[in-house]
Amino acid sequence: METPRPTEQREKAPTSAEDILARARAVAPLLRERSAEIELNRRLPDDVAQLLRETGVFRTGLSKDWGGPELTFAQQTEVIEALSYGDPAVGWCGMIGMDTWIYAGYLDEPVVKEMLENPDAITAGLIFPAGRAERVPGGYIVNGRWPFGSGIAHADWVVGGCVVHSNGEPEAGPDGSPVNWRLIVARNEDFEKIDTWHTVGLAGSGSMDYQANDLFVPEERSFFFTNPHTSGPYAAPDAFLGNVPGVPLGVARAAIDHVRELAANRVERATGLAWKDSYRVQIALGQAEMELSAARYAVYGSLDELWERLVSGTEPTPEQQVAAALARVNAFKTARSIVTRLSDLVGTGSIYQASPLGRWLRDLHTMCQHILAQDQIVQSAGAYLLGGTPEAPFPLGLKG
């Protein structure tokens, strides 16, 4: 099925959080219709990627100083939740690709002006230092191969984490750390793509490997999260992590609503009892709603609190510092648990391709292998509260 052409209203650039969220909710049914195709394609079809761009999701982090809508962390997450309700891979690509303007906050003005030529620019890439940047006059010669380039097929910009070397030896970090870890930013066409993305779930995200071969990157197109060139909430080192839980929350909501629709006209084969009157069905749906509500309130409550503290410059308590990270982990684990139990409730009906439950379960299983959903984050939060040694990379997990 071909996605309808954008309306005249959609062609106008969105200017507010309300407009972007309304567009995301409006395209969700279209995304649901394309989900099987997206999964089979193992990347977003070109017209779906364009439709996603037109929602305005990729400009949500564009600050008001740069002429953007400057959505709060919670507002950004709502948009990702709405897109993920339609299709998890689309939501995932939206979540990854919207980091353009957070990264821009660490770059020099000439580079930002170049990026601002397209307010809806998409950025892909992994920030973990899998690459090597050899220091040369004016910048770096970069070599490396990075996994998990979610949405890279449609990206305008690509980032890659690198360990900086001088004269063949790793540099120490400016803060005294053993290595100088920096991110390089380059055009999509500067990288070779390697189609490695044959996965159990989240297939449509197109999170393939990419590599650079003797790529020169000017110094001004590199950065790290300890030296922001802007102020405010977007300058926080974990600002790019706030929107992540929108994906599992949207998928869990979609699964609950789907099973509620099934239950409206379904009866138990053995007894003829209507599902709406079945105690086991009532308990299953009631528990799913209870758990999703609690997880969702934890996410949005911690994000609102984080935003307010960053705006006011209030020093956070240790509990406040780990709240958003723990809420993220809980959102992933809760969503997977909900969809697993709903699949069990539906039974054999959930194993056919006509049912979205199987796809949602595969997608959530894959998402939960991401470092942001691992017990390593929980350990690191506990270690921070106790004054111990956290195992997770800074800052409590990496996105990619």
Side-chain angles (χ1 to χ4, degrees):
M1 173 182 176
E2 183 178 351
T3 302
R5 292 180 58 83
T7 63
E8 182 178 350
Q9 180 180 7
R10 183 173 292 153
E11 289 171 351
K12 299 177 181 178
T15 58
S16 68
E18 292 76 17
D19 189 9
I20 296 172
L21 180 58
R23 293 180 186 214
R25 288 173 172 166
V27 302
L30 299 174
L31 300 178
R32 184 74 59 83
E33 292 175 5
R34 303 288 294 277
S35 281
E37 176 192 352
I38 291 169
E39 182 179 45
L40 184 64
N41 201 47
R42 296 188 299 110
R43 52 169 275 187
L44 303 188
D46 291 344
D47 64 320
V48 171
Q50 181 59 27
L51 186 64
L52 179 59
R53 200 188 291 261
E54 290 166 357
T55 66
V57 62
F58 299 116
R59 64 172 58 200
T60 58
L62 190 60
S63 71
K64 292 179 180 177
D65 290 341
W66 291 338
E70 194 173 310
L71 273 63
T72 68
F73 300 149
Q75 289 171 332
Q76 292 177 12
T77 303
E78 279 188 298
V79 173
I80 298 303
E81 187 177 14
L83 292 170
S84 302
Y85 185 85
D87 182 80
V90 173
W92 190 268
C93 288
M95 176 267 292
I96 294 290
M98 65 191 286
D99 290 337
T100 304
W101 305 114
I102 291 177
Y103 295 151
Y106 295 84
L107 297 168
D108 292 338
E109 185 176 356
V111 181
V112 176
K113 285 183 176 179
E114 182 183 5
M115 299 173 77
L116 280 170
E117 292 176 2
N118 181 6
D120 296 300
I122 302 171
T123 299
L126 181 73
I127 70 175
F128 193 79
R132 172 176 174 145
E134 185 73 30
R135 190 179 292 278
V136 296
Y140 308 94
I141 298 296
V142 175
N143 287 278
R145 176 167 170 167
W146 296 263
F148 307 123
S150 300
I152 198 168
H154 306 99
D156 303 284
W157 297 95
V158 176
V159 300
C162 294
V163 175
V164 178
H165 287 66
S166 290
N167 300 317
E169 297 295 329
E171 288 185 359
D175 58 353
S177 57
V179 297
N180 186 4
W181 171 6
R182 290 186 71 77
L183 278 76
I184 56 96
V185 182
R187 295 281 186 180
N188 191 335
E189 56 266 27
D190 292 330
F191 296 88
E192 178 186 352
K193 318 306 184 302
I194 304 100
D195 187 5
T196 54
W197 196 241
H198 299 270
T199 55
V200 171
L202 214 60
S205 68
S207 305
M208 67 185 76
D209 289 12
Y210 60 102
Q211 68 182 29
N213 300 299
D214 293 330
L215 172 65
F216 175 72
V217 178
E219 176 70 36
E220 60 269 22
R221 286 194 181 179
S222 71
F223 70 97
F224 195 59
F225 295 110
T226 54
N227 187 29
H229 292 189
T230 59
S231 58
Y234 289 168
D238 55 351
F240 66 104
L241 298 175
N243 54 19
V244 177
V247 183
L249 291 179
V251 178
R253 179 75 268 162
I256 292 173
D257 289 353
H258 173 72
V259 175
R260 287 180 65 182
E261 291 174 6
L262 289 179
N265 299 302
R266 192 161 180 168
V267 297
E268 299 280 8
R269 291 182 179 178
T271 65
L273 179 66
W275 263 35
K276 64 181 181 180
D277 294 320
S278 168
Y279 181 82
R280 73 180 187 94
V281 176
Q282 293 166 346
I283 284 289
L285 281 171
Q287 184 173 354
E289 288 283 1
M290 176 179 65
E291 293 178 0
L292 180 58
S293 294
R296 194 171 185 275
Y297 273 95
V299 165
Y300 284 101
S302 63
L303 290 177
D304 284 337
E305 185 179 76
L306 175 62
W307 185 269
E308 291 171 5
R309 285 194 289 100
L310 291 172
V311 168
S312 65
T314 304
E315 188 69 24
T317 66
E319 290 77 13
Q320 289 172 329
Q321 285 188 295
V322 304
L326 293 176
R328 280 194 297 271
V329 176
N330 186 56
F332 280 102
K333 292 183 178 294
T334 299
R336 180 170 63 177
S337 175
I338 287 171
V339 177
T340 298
R341 283 183 279 109
L342 292 180
S343 296
D344 290 344
L345 178 69
V346 173
T348 54
S350 68
I351 68 174
Y352 291 94
Q353 291 184 354
S355 171
L357 283 169
R359 183 183 311 113
W360 290 330
L361 190 57
R362 293 193 299 276
D363 289 347
L364 281 165
H365 174 75
T366 299
M367 288 180 217
C368 285
Q369 308 316 308
H370 196 287
I371 190 172
L372 289 176
Q374 295 292 302
D375 288 342
Q376 188 180 20
I377 304 300
V378 181
Q379 179 276 331
S380 297
Y384 180 78
L385 294 174
L386 294 171
T389 302
E391 294 182 2
F394 169 88
L396 288 182
L398 298 176
K399 188 173 171 181

